[in-house]
Amino acid sequence: MTTLDPRLLLQGYAMGIFPMAESRDAPELFWVEPRERAIIPLDGFHLSRSLARTLRSERFTVTLDQDFAGVIAACADRPETWINADIERAMLALYGLGHAHSVEVWSGADLVGGIYGVKLGRAFFGESMFSRRTDASKVALAWLVARLRAGGYTLLDCQFLTDHLASLGAVAMPRDDYVALLTAALGGGGDGAAAAGGRGRDRVEALGGAAPEFLALDRLLEASSGDSGTITPPGKLIAQLLGQTS
């Protein structure tokens, strides 16, 4: 069996494929290229009134990359999962290299929800999310969408369309249409260069765009709690960002 190393994993995402296993204990994995691919348009995320209230309530604390291992372990901790040990190891290695990220949702000291995925160029590949409290995974996804919008990303991949994802704005598209979006997203970002045949920052100016900024949201959050005299709670800011369409 070929070891799923970080470079191979990134190359797969750059080609529009991703790995899965039959179960948590499965020794083998396989690469998947769906005929129809699900994405969440970043200007089409459905922020329901109830989710907006949950965000503004500050019921949860939301962090970035504070417990990546905990999030992926929780995502795999279910009766049926496609995350085997090889995929988990490769994702942890990607996280160590700065290509994978997690959004954690906390209730006090308890990790109650989260989402993780892979960052490449202007694309983010959402891998899996979990929830141990009502709306916790929705909150994690909302924060991720806000982060990608603030940072100039263009593609949020969510692999397969489910009723749950559709309720949040996800849509399915033919494989060729997805590949076109992916190609455009990889053409405009620096960290896609190693995996996508050298395409990177040298193409940004030619395409007329700046490189994406994954931490742009953090600056907005810092500014909202600065010395301006008016402090905007984090959850309220996220709800405001998601209420705006481009």
Coordinates of all heavy atoms in Angstrom, one line a residue, residues 130-223:
F130 N -18.1 17.8 13.1 CA -18.9 17.0 14.1 C -19.6 18.0 15.1 O -19.2 19.2 15.1 CB -17.9 16.1 14.9 CG -17.1 16.8 16.0 CD1 -17.5 16.8 17.3 CD2 -16.0 17.5 15.7 CE1 -16.8 17.4 18.3 CE2 -15.3 18.2 16.7 CZ -15.7 18.1 18.0
S131 N -20.5 17.5 15.8 CA -21.3 18.3 16.8 C -21.7 17.5 18.0 O -22.2 16.3 17.8 CB -22.5 18.9 16.1 OG -23.2 19.7 16.9
R132 N -21.5 18.0 19.1 CA -21.9 17.4 20.4 C -22.9 18.3 21.1 O -23.3 17.9 22.2 CB -20.7 17.1 21.3 CG -19.8 16.0 20.7 CD -18.5 15.9 21.5 NE -17.7 14.8 21.0 CZ -16.4 14.7 21.2 NH1 -15.7 15.6 21.9 NH2 -15.7 13.7 20.7
R133 N -23.2 19.4 20.5 CA -24.2 20.3 21.1 C -25.0 20.8 19.9 O -24.5 20.9 18.8 CB -23.6 21.5 21.8 CG -22.8 21.2 23.0 CD -23.7 20.8 24.2 NE -22.9 20.8 25.5 CZ -22.2 19.8 25.8 NH1 -22.0 18.8 25.1 NH2 -21.5 19.9 27.0
T134 N -26.3 21.2 20.1 CA -27.1 21.7 19.0 C -26.4 22.9 18.4 O -26.0 23.8 19.1 CB -28.5 22.1 19.6 OG1 -29.1 21.0 20.2 CG2 -29.4 22.7 18.5
D135 N -26.3 22.9 17.1 CA -25.8 24.0 16.2 C -24.3 24.1 16.3 O -23.7 25.0 15.7 CB -26.4 25.3 16.6 CG -27.8 25.5 16.0 OD1 -28.2 24.7 15.2 OD2 -28.6 26.4 16.5
A136 N -23.6 23.3 17.1 CA -22.1 23.5 17.2 C -21.4 23.3 15.9 O -20.5 24.1 15.6 CB -21.5 22.5 18.2
S137 N -21.7 22.3 15.1 CA -21.0 22.2 13.8 C -21.4 23.3 12.8 O -20.6 23.8 12.0 CB -21.4 20.8 13.1 OG -22.7 20.7 12.9
K138 N -22.7 23.8 12.9 CA -23.1 24.9 12.1 C -22.3 26.2 12.4 O -22.0 26.9 11.5 CB -24.6 25.1 12.2 CG -25.5 24.1 11.7 CD -27.0 24.4 11.8 CE -27.9 23.3 11.3 NZ -29.3 23.7 11.5
V139 N -22.1 26.4 13.7 CA -21.3 27.5 14.1 C -19.9 27.4 13.6 O -19.3 28.4 13.0 CB -21.3 27.6 15.7 CG1 -20.2 28.6 16.1 CG2 -22.7 28.0 16.2
A140 N -19.3 26.2 13.6 CA -18.0 26.0 13.1 C -17.9 26.3 11.6 O -17.0 27.0 11.1 CB -17.5 24.6 13.3
L141 N -18.9 25.9 10.9 CA -19.0 26.1 9.4 C -19.2 27.6 9.1 O -18.6 28.1 8.2 CB -20.1 25.3 8.8 CG -20.2 25.4 7.3 CD1 -18.9 25.0 6.6 CD2 -21.4 24.5 6.8
A142 N -20.0 28.2 9.9 CA -20.3 29.7 9.7 C -19.0 30.5 9.9 O -18.7 31.4 9.1 CB -21.3 30.2 10.6
W143 N -18.2 30.1 10.9 CA -16.9 30.8 11.1 C -16.0 30.5 10.0 O -15.2 31.4 9.6 CB -16.4 30.4 12.5 CG -16.8 31.2 13.6 CD1 -18.1 31.1 14.2 CD2 -16.1 32.2 14.4 NE1 -18.2 32.0 15.3 CE2 -17.0 32.7 15.4 CE3 -14.8 32.7 14.3 CZ2 -16.6 33.7 16.3 CZ3 -14.4 33.7 15.1 CH2 -15.3 34.2 16.1
L144 N -16.0 29.3 9.5 CA -15.1 29.0 8.4 C -15.4 29.8 7.1 O -14.6 30.3 6.5 CB -15.1 27.5 8.1 CG -14.3 27.0 6.9 CD1 -12.8 27.3 7.0 CD2 -14.6 25.5 6.6
V145 N -16.7 29.8 6.8 CA -17.2 30.6 5.6 C -16.8 32.1 5.8 O -16.3 32.7 4.8 CB -18.7 30.4 5.4 CG1 -19.2 31.4 4.3 CG2 -19.0 29.0 5.0
A146 N -17.0 32.6 7.0 CA -16.6 34.0 7.2 C -15.1 34.2 7.0 O -14.7 35.2 6.4 CB -17.1 34.5 8.6
R147 N -14.4 33.3 7.5 CA -12.9 33.4 7.3 C -12.5 33.3 5.9 O -11.6 34.1 5.4 CB -12.2 32.3 8.1 CG -10.7 32.2 8.0 CD -10.1 31.2 8.9 NE -10.3 31.6 10.3 CZ -9.5 32.5 10.9 NH1 -8.5 33.1 10.3 NH2 -9.8 32.8 12.2
L148 N -13.1 32.5 5.1 CA -12.7 32.3 3.7 C -13.2 33.6 2.9 O -12.5 34.1 2.0 CB -13.4 31.1 3.1 CG -12.9 29.8 3.7 CD1 -13.6 28.6 3.1 CD2 -11.4 29.6 3.6
R149 N -14.4 34.1 3.2 CA -14.8 35.3 2.6 C -13.9 36.5 2.9 O -13.5 37.2 2.0 CB -16.3 35.6 3.0 CG -17.3 34.7 2.4 CD -18.7 35.1 2.7 NE -19.0 36.5 2.2 CZ -20.1 37.1 2.3 NH1 -21.2 36.5 2.8 NH2 -20.3 38.3 1.8
A150 N -13.5 36.6 4.1 CA -12.7 37.7 4.5 C -11.3 37.6 3.9 O -10.7 38.6 3.6 CB -12.6 37.8 6.1
G151 N -10.8 36.4 3.7 CA -9.5 36.2 3.2 C -9.4 36.1 1.7 O -8.3 35.9 1.2
G152 N -10.4 36.3 0.9 CA -10.3 36.3 -0.5 C -10.3 34.9 -1.2 O -9.8 34.8 -2.3
Y153 N -10.9 33.9 -0.5 CA -11.0 32.6 -1.1 C -12.1 32.5 -2.1 O -13.1 33.3 -2.0 CB -11.1 31.5 0.0 CG -9.8 31.4 0.7 CD1 -9.4 32.3 1.7 CD2 -8.9 30.3 0.4 CE1 -8.1 32.1 2.3 CE2 -7.7 30.2 1.0 CZ -7.3 31.1 2.0 OH -6.1 31.0 2.6
T154 N -12.1 31.6 -3.0 CA -13.1 31.5 -4.0 C -13.9 30.1 -4.0 O -14.9 30.0 -4.7 CB -12.6 31.7 -5.4 OG1 -11.6 30.8 -5.7 CG2 -11.9 33.1 -5.5
L155 N -13.3 29.1 -3.3 CA -13.9 27.8 -3.4 C -13.9 27.1 -2.1 O -12.9 27.0 -1.4 CB -13.2 26.9 -4.4 CG -13.6 25.5 -4.6 CD1 -15.0 25.4 -5.1 CD2 -12.6 24.7 -5.5
L156 N -15.1 26.7 -1.6 CA -15.3 25.8 -0.5 C -15.9 24.5 -0.9 O -17.1 24.4 -1.2 CB -16.1 26.5 0.6 CG -16.5 25.6 1.8 CD1 -15.2 25.1 2.5 CD2 -17.3 26.4 2.9
D157 N -15.0 23.5 -1.0 CA -15.5 22.2 -1.4 C -16.0 21.4 -0.2 O -15.4 21.4 0.9 CB -14.2 21.4 -2.0 CG -14.5 20.0 -2.3 OD1 -15.2 19.7 -3.3 OD2 -14.1 19.1 -1.5
C158 N -17.1 20.7 -0.4 CA -17.7 19.9 0.6 C -18.0 18.5 0.1 O -18.8 17.7 0.7 CB -18.8 20.5 1.3 SG -20.1 21.2 0.3
Q159 N -17.4 18.1 -1.0 CA -17.4 16.7 -1.5 C -18.7 16.2 -2.0 O -19.0 16.2 -3.2 CB -16.7 15.8 -0.5 CG -15.3 16.1 -0.1 CD -14.7 15.2 0.9 OE1 -15.4 14.4 1.6 NE2 -13.4 15.3 1.1
F160 N -19.6 15.8 -1.0 CA -20.9 15.2 -1.4 C -22.0 16.0 -0.8 O -21.9 16.5 0.3 CB -21.0 13.8 -0.9 CG -19.9 12.8 -1.4 CD1 -18.9 12.4 -0.5 CD2 -20.0 12.4 -2.7 CE1 -17.9 11.5 -1.0 CE2 -19.0 11.5 -3.1 CZ -18.0 11.1 -2.3
L161 N -23.1 16.2 -1.6 CA -24.2 17.0 -1.2 C -25.1 16.1 -0.2 O -25.5 15.0 -0.6 CB -25.0 17.4 -2.4 CG -26.2 18.4 -2.0 CD1 -25.6 19.7 -1.4 CD2 -27.0 18.7 -3.3
T162 N -25.4 16.6 0.9 CA -26.3 16.0 1.9 C -27.4 17.0 2.2 O -27.3 18.2 1.9 CB -25.6 15.7 3.2 OG1 -25.2 16.9 3.8 CG2 -24.4 14.8 3.0
D163 N -28.5 16.5 2.7 CA -29.6 17.4 3.1 C -29.2 18.5 4.1 O -29.6 19.6 4.0 CB -30.8 16.6 3.6 CG -31.5 15.7 2.6 OD1 -31.3 16.0 1.4 OD2 -32.2 14.8 3.0
H164 N -28.3 18.1 5.0 CA -27.8 19.0 6.0 C -27.0 20.1 5.3 O -27.2 21.3 5.6 CB -27.0 18.3 7.0 CG -26.3 19.1 8.0 ND1 -27.1 19.9 9.0 CD2 -25.0 19.4 8.3 CE1 -26.2 20.5 9.7 NE2 -25.0 20.3 9.3
L165 N -26.1 19.8 4.4 CA -25.3 20.8 3.8 C -26.2 21.6 2.8 O -25.9 22.9 2.7 CB -24.2 20.1 3.0 CG -23.0 19.5 3.8 CD1 -22.1 18.8 3.0 CD2 -22.3 20.6 4.6
A166 N -27.1 21.0 2.2 CA -28.0 21.8 1.3 C -28.8 22.9 2.1 O -29.0 24.0 1.6 CB -29.0 20.9 0.6
S167 N -29.2 22.5 3.3 CA -29.9 23.5 4.1 C -29.0 24.7 4.5 O -29.5 25.8 4.9 CB -30.4 22.8 5.4 OG -29.3 22.6 6.3
L168 N -27.7 24.5 4.3 CA -26.8 25.6 4.6 C -26.3 26.3 3.4 O -25.4 27.2 3.5 CB -25.6 25.1 5.4 CG -25.9 24.5 6.8 CD1 -24.8 23.7 7.4 CD2 -26.3 25.7 7.8
G169 N -26.8 26.0 2.2 CA -26.5 26.7 1.0 C -25.6 25.9 0.0 O -25.3 26.4 -1.0
A170 N -25.3 24.6 0.3 CA -24.5 23.8 -0.6 C -25.2 23.4 -1.8 O -26.5 23.3 -1.8 CB -24.0 22.5 0.1
V171 N -24.5 23.3 -2.9 CA -25.1 22.9 -4.2 C -24.2 21.9 -4.8 O -23.0 21.8 -4.5 CB -25.2 24.1 -5.2 CG1 -26.2 25.2 -4.6 CG2 -23.9 24.8 -5.4
A172 N -24.7 21.1 -5.7 CA -24.0 20.1 -6.5 C -23.8 20.6 -7.9 O -24.6 21.3 -8.5 CB -24.7 18.8 -6.5
M173 N -22.6 20.2 -8.5 CA -22.3 20.6 -9.9 C -21.6 19.5 -10.6 O -21.0 18.6 -9.9 CB -21.5 21.9 -9.9 CG -20.1 21.7 -9.2 SD -19.2 23.3 -9.4 CE -20.3 24.4 -8.7
P174 N -21.7 19.4 -11.9 CA -21.0 18.4 -12.6 C -19.5 18.5 -12.4 O -18.9 19.6 -12.1 CB -21.3 18.7 -14.1 CG -22.6 19.5 -14.0 CD -22.5 20.3 -12.8
R175 N -18.8 17.4 -12.6 CA -17.4 17.3 -12.3 C -16.6 18.3 -13.1 O -15.7 19.0 -12.6 CB -16.9 15.9 -12.6 CG -15.4 15.7 -12.4 CD -15.0 14.2 -12.5 NE -15.6 13.6 -13.7 CZ -15.8 12.3 -13.9 NH1 -15.6 11.5 -12.9 NH2 -16.3 11.8 -15.1
D176 N -16.9 18.5 -14.4 CA -16.2 19.4 -15.2 C -16.3 20.9 -14.7 O -15.3 21.6 -14.8 CB -16.6 19.3 -16.7 CG -16.2 18.0 -17.4 OD1 -15.4 17.3 -16.8 OD2 -16.7 17.7 -18.5
D177 N -17.5 21.2 -14.3 CA -17.7 22.6 -13.7 C -16.9 22.8 -12.5 O -16.3 23.8 -12.3 CB -19.2 22.8 -13.5 CG -20.0 22.9 -14.7 OD1 -19.4 23.0 -15.8 OD2 -21.2 22.9 -14.6
Y178 N -16.8 21.7 -11.7 CA -16.0 21.8 -10.4 C -14.5 22.0 -10.8 O -13.8 22.8 -10.2 CB -16.2 20.6 -9.6 CG -15.3 20.5 -8.4 CD1 -15.5 21.2 -7.3 CD2 -14.1 19.7 -8.5 CE1 -14.6 21.2 -6.2 CE2 -13.2 19.7 -7.4 CZ -13.5 20.4 -6.3 OH -12.6 20.4 -5.3
V179 N -14.1 21.2 -11.7 CA -12.6 21.3 -12.1 C -12.3 22.7 -12.6 O -11.2 23.2 -12.3 CB -12.3 20.2 -13.1 CG1 -10.9 20.4 -13.7 CG2 -12.4 18.8 -12.5
A180 N -13.2 23.3 -13.3 CA -13.0 24.7 -13.8 C -12.8 25.6 -12.6 O -11.9 26.5 -12.6 CB -14.1 25.1 -14.7
L181 N -13.7 25.5 -11.6 CA -13.6 26.3 -10.4 C -12.3 26.1 -9.6 O -11.6 27.0 -9.1 CB -14.8 26.1 -9.5 CG -16.1 26.6 -9.9 CD1 -17.2 26.2 -8.9 CD2 -16.1 28.1 -10.1
L182 N -11.9 24.8 -9.5 CA -10.7 24.4 -8.8 C -9.5 25.0 -9.5 O -8.6 25.5 -8.9 CB -10.6 22.9 -8.8 CG -9.3 22.3 -8.1 CD1 -9.2 22.7 -6.7 CD2 -9.4 20.8 -8.2
T183 N -9.4 24.8 -10.9 CA -8.3 25.3 -11.6 C -8.1 26.8 -11.4 O -7.0 27.3 -11.2 CB -8.5 25.1 -13.1 OG1 -8.6 23.6 -13.3 CG2 -7.3 25.6 -13.9
A184 N -9.2 27.6 -11.4 CA -9.2 29.0 -11.2 C -8.7 29.3 -9.7 O -7.9 30.2 -9.5 CB -10.5 29.7 -11.4
A185 N -9.2 28.5 -8.8 CA -8.8 28.8 -7.4 C -7.3 28.5 -7.1 O -6.6 29.2 -6.4 CB -9.6 27.9 -6.5
L186 N -6.8 27.4 -7.8 CA -5.4 27.1 -7.6 C -4.5 28.1 -8.3 O -3.3 28.3 -7.9 CB -5.1 25.7 -8.1 CG -5.7 24.6 -7.4 CD1 -5.3 23.2 -8.0 CD2 -5.4 24.6 -5.9
G187 N -5.0 28.7 -9.4 CA -4.2 29.7 -10.1 C -3.9 30.9 -9.4 O -2.9 31.7 -9.7
G188 N -4.6 31.3 -8.3 CA -4.5 32.5 -7.7 C -3.9 32.5 -6.3 O -3.9 33.5 -5.5
G189 N -3.3 31.4 -5.9 CA -2.8 31.3 -4.5 C -1.4 30.7 -4.4 O -1.0 29.8 -5.1
G190 N -0.6 31.3 -3.5 CA 0.8 30.9 -3.3 C 1.0 29.5 -2.8 O 1.9 28.8 -3.3
D191 N 0.1 29.1 -1.9 CA 0.4 27.8 -1.3 C -0.1 26.6 -2.1 O 0.1 25.5 -1.8 CB -0.1 27.7 0.1 CG -1.6 27.8 0.2 OD1 -2.3 28.0 -0.9 OD2 -2.2 27.7 1.3
G192 N -0.6 26.9 -3.3 CA -0.9 25.8 -4.3 C 0.3 25.4 -5.2 O 0.2 24.5 -5.9
A193 N 1.4 26.2 -5.1 CA 2.4 26.0 -6.1 C 3.1 24.6 -6.0 O 3.3 23.9 -7.0 CB 3.5 27.0 -5.9
A194 N 3.4 24.1 -4.8 CA 4.1 22.9 -4.6 C 3.3 21.7 -5.1 O 3.8 20.7 -5.6 CB 4.4 22.7 -3.1
A195 N 2.0 21.8 -5.0 CA 1.1 20.6 -5.3 C 0.6 20.7 -6.7 O 0.1 19.7 -7.3 CB 0.0 20.5 -4.3
A196 N 0.5 21.9 -7.3 CA -0.2 22.1 -8.6 C 0.8 22.5 -9.7 O 0.5 23.4 -10.5 CB -1.2 23.2 -8.4
G197 N 1.9 21.8 -9.8 CA 2.8 22.0 -10.9 C 3.5 23.3 -11.0 O 3.8 23.8 -12.1
G198 N 3.7 24.0 -9.8 CA 4.5 25.2 -9.8 C 3.7 26.4 -10.0 O 4.2 27.5 -10.0
R199 N 2.3 26.3 -10.1 CA 1.5 27.5 -10.2 C 1.4 28.1 -8.8 O 1.1 27.5 -7.8 CB 0.1 27.1 -10.6 CG 0.1 26.6 -12.1 CD -1.3 26.1 -12.4 NE -1.6 24.9 -11.6 CZ -2.8 24.3 -11.8 NH1 -3.7 24.7 -12.6 NH2 -3.0 23.2 -11.0
G200 N 1.7 29.4 -8.7 CA 1.7 30.1 -7.4 C 1.7 31.6 -7.5 O 1.0 32.2 -8.4
R201 N 2.4 32.2 -6.6 CA 2.4 33.6 -6.5 C 2.9 34.3 -7.8 O 2.5 35.5 -8.1 CB 3.3 34.1 -5.4 CG 2.7 33.8 -4.0 CD 3.5 34.4 -2.9 NE 3.0 33.9 -1.6 CZ 1.9 34.4 -1.0 NH1 1.2 35.4 -1.5 NH2 1.5 33.9 0.2
D202 N 3.7 33.7 -8.6 CA 4.2 34.3 -9.8 C 3.0 34.5 -10.8 O 3.1 35.3 -11.8 CB 5.3 33.5 -10.5 CG 4.9 32.1 -10.8 OD1 3.9 31.6 -10.1 OD2 5.5 31.4 -11.6
R203 N 1.9 33.9 -10.6 CA 0.7 34.0 -11.5 C -0.3 35.0 -11.0 O -1.3 35.3 -11.6 CB 0.1 32.7 -11.8 CG 0.9 31.7 -12.5 CD 0.1 30.5 -12.9 NE -1.0 30.8 -13.7 CZ -2.0 30.0 -14.0 NH1 -1.9 28.7 -13.5 NH2 -3.1 30.3 -14.6
V204 N -0.1 35.4 -9.7 CA -1.2 36.3 -9.1 C -1.4 37.6 -9.8 O -2.5 38.0 -10.2 CB -0.8 36.5 -7.6 CG1 -1.8 37.6 -7.0 CG2 -0.9 35.3 -6.8
E205 N -0.3 38.3 -10.1 CA -0.4 39.5 -10.8 C -1.0 39.4 -12.2 O -1.8 40.2 -12.7 CB 1.0 40.2 -10.9 CG 1.5 40.7 -9.6 CD 2.8 41.4 -9.7 OE1 3.3 41.6 -10.9 OE2 3.4 41.8 -8.7
A206 N -0.6 38.3 -12.9 CA -1.2 38.1 -14.2 C -2.7 37.8 -14.2 O -3.4 38.2 -15.1 CB -0.5 36.8 -14.9
L207 N -3.1 37.2 -13.1 CA -4.6 37.0 -13.0 C -5.3 38.2 -12.4 O -6.5 38.2 -12.2 CB -4.8 35.7 -12.1 CG -4.3 34.4 -12.7 CD1 -4.3 33.3 -11.7 CD2 -5.2 34.1 -13.9
G208 N -4.6 39.2 -12.0 CA -5.2 40.4 -11.5 C -5.7 40.3 -10.0 O -6.6 41.0 -9.7
G209 N -5.2 39.5 -9.2 CA -5.6 39.3 -7.9 C -4.5 39.2 -6.9 O -3.4 38.8 -7.2
A210 N -4.8 39.5 -5.6 CA -3.8 39.3 -4.5 C -3.9 37.9 -4.0 O -4.9 37.2 -4.2 CB -4.1 40.3 -3.4
A211 N -2.9 37.5 -3.3 CA -2.9 36.1 -2.7 C -3.9 36.1 -1.6 O -4.2 37.1 -0.9 CB -1.5 35.8 -2.2
P212 N -4.6 35.0 -1.3 CA -5.5 34.8 -0.3 C -4.9 35.0 1.1 O -3.7 34.7 1.3 CB -6.1 33.4 -0.4 CG -5.0 32.7 -1.1 CD -4.4 33.7 -2.0
E213 N -5.6 35.5 2.1 CA -5.1 35.7 3.4 C -6.0 34.9 4.4 O -7.1 35.4 4.8 CB -5.1 37.2 3.8 CG -4.2 38.0 2.8 CD -4.2 39.5 3.2 OE1 -3.7 39.7 4.4 OE2 -4.6 40.3 2.4
F214 N -5.5 33.8 4.9 CA -6.3 33.0 5.8 C -6.5 33.6 7.1 O -7.5 33.3 7.8 CB -5.6 31.6 6.0 CG -6.5 30.5 6.5 CD1 -7.6 30.1 5.8 CD2 -6.3 30.0 7.8 CE1 -8.4 29.1 6.3 CE2 -7.1 29.0 8.3 CZ -8.2 28.6 7.6
L215 N -5.6 34.5 7.5 CA -5.7 35.2 8.8 C -6.4 36.6 8.8 O -6.4 37.3 9.8 CB -4.4 35.3 9.5 CG -3.7 33.9 9.7 CD1 -2.3 34.1 10.4 CD2 -4.5 33.0 10.6
A216 N -6.9 36.9 7.6 CA -7.6 38.2 7.5 C -8.7 38.4 8.5 O -8.9 39.5 9.1 CB -8.1 38.4 6.1
L217 N -9.4 37.4 8.8 CA -10.5 37.5 9.8 C -10.0 37.8 11.1 O -10.7 38.6 11.9 CB -11.3 36.1 9.8 CG -12.5 36.1 10.8 CD1 -13.6 37.1 10.4 CD2 -13.1 34.7 10.9
D218 N -8.9 37.3 11.5 CA -8.3 37.6 12.8 C -8.1 39.1 13.0 O -8.3 39.7 14.1 CB -7.1 36.8 13.1 CG -7.3 35.3 12.9 OD1 -7.8 34.7 13.9 OD2 -7.1 34.8 11.9
R219 N -7.6 39.8 11.9 CA -7.4 41.2 12.0 C -8.7 42.0 12.1 O -8.8 43.0 12.9 CB -6.6 41.7 10.7 CG -5.2 41.1 10.7 CD -4.4 41.9 9.6 NE -4.9 41.7 8.3 CZ -4.5 40.6 7.5 NH1 -3.7 39.7 8.0 NH2 -5.0 40.5 6.3
L220 N -9.7 41.5 11.5 CA -11.0 42.1 11.6 C -11.6 42.0 13.1 O -12.1 42.9 13.6 CB -12.0 41.5 10.7 CG -11.9 41.8 9.2 CD1 -12.9 41.0 8.3 CD2 -12.0 43.3 8.9
L221 N -11.4 40.8 13.6 CA -11.8 40.5 15.0 C -11.0 41.4 16.0 O -11.6 41.9 16.9 CB -11.6 39.0 15.3 CG -12.6 38.1 14.6 CD1 -12.1 36.6 14.8 CD2 -14.0 38.2 15.1
E222 N -9.7 41.5 15.7 CA -8.9 42.4 16.6 C -9.3 43.8 16.5 O -9.4 44.5 17.5 CB -7.4 42.2 16.2 CG -6.5 43.0 17.1 CD -5.0 42.8 16.8 OE1 -4.8 42.0 15.8 OE2 -4.2 43.4 17.4
A223 N -9.6 44.3 15.3 CA -10.0 45.7 15.1 C -11.4 45.9 15.8 O -11.6 47.0 16.3 CB -10.1 46.0 13.6

